[in-house]
Amino acid sequence: HVQLVESGGGSVQAGGSLRLSCLASRSTTKIERMAWFRQAPGKEREGLATIRSDGILAYKEFVRGRFTISGDIAKNTIYLEMTNLEPEDTAMYYCAADPKWAASLTWSLSTSDFTYWGQGTQVTVS
């Protein structure tokens, strides 16, 4: 399986910023799509942003303008830059990856469309 490792989480005051990183291990599996998700206690896991191997990006509407996904799937690394953080952003943030490519998956931020998951990195905003 593909191994994903997140880093960059921490505690920040409201209005602050953080940059999360995700590194995917090298393997024979070609990753086609990667994404960032988050899950707060008692809440469902929700998608935030996704990037495809050809550079196509998609965002959940409520983070558009505050969060920016970037990176290069071919180099096995993506980032999530978060600005103007609010207490509602407090959650465990997860990196996800998947080898499937299809037109119907271009904008997907559904947990069911991603096969590999990192262990998560905690973000706390107060």
Side-chain angles (χ1 to χ4, degrees):
H1 287 179
V2 173
Q3 185 177 41
L4 305 175
V5 179
E6 303 101 329
S7 62
S11 297
V12 64
Q13 294 187 32
S17 62
L18 286 172
R19 187 192 193 209
L20 307 183
S21 301
C22 175
L23 175 65
S25 64
R26 300 180 187 277
S27 72
T28 58
T29 301
K30 182 181 180 182
I31 296 171
E32 295 288 357
R33 299 175 297 112
M34 296 183 72
W36 288 98
F37 291 76
R38 71 183 182 188
Q39 187 168 22
K43 304 278 189 176
E44 295 183 351
R45 189 168 299 188
E46 60 182 354
L48 304 173
T50 184
I51 181 169
R52 204 168 69 177
S53 59
D54 61 356
I56 295 294
L57 309 175
Y59 293 91
K60 198 70 168 288
E61 185 63 30
F62 70 84
V63 305
R64 193 182 301 273
R66 293 196 302 126
F67 293 8
T68 302
I69 189 169
S70 63
D72 189 343
I73 291 178
K75 296 182 178 180
N76 304 306
T77 304
I78 63 167
Y79 306 93
L80 184 69
E81 297 184 52
M82 305 182 292
T83 62
N84 195 27
L85 287 163
E86 300 291 339
E88 292 75 17
D89 296 317
T90 295
M92 185 73 73
Y93 283 68
Y94 297 92
C95 179
D98 195 85
K100 299 186 297 294
W101 192 100
S104 62
L105 299 176
T106 302
W107 319 114
S108 178
L109 284 169
S110 173
T111 58
S112 63
D113 288 329
F114 292 87
T115 302
Y116 305 105
W117 295 84
Q119 80 287 353
T121 184
Q122 179 68 36
V123 172
T124 301
V125 185
S126 61

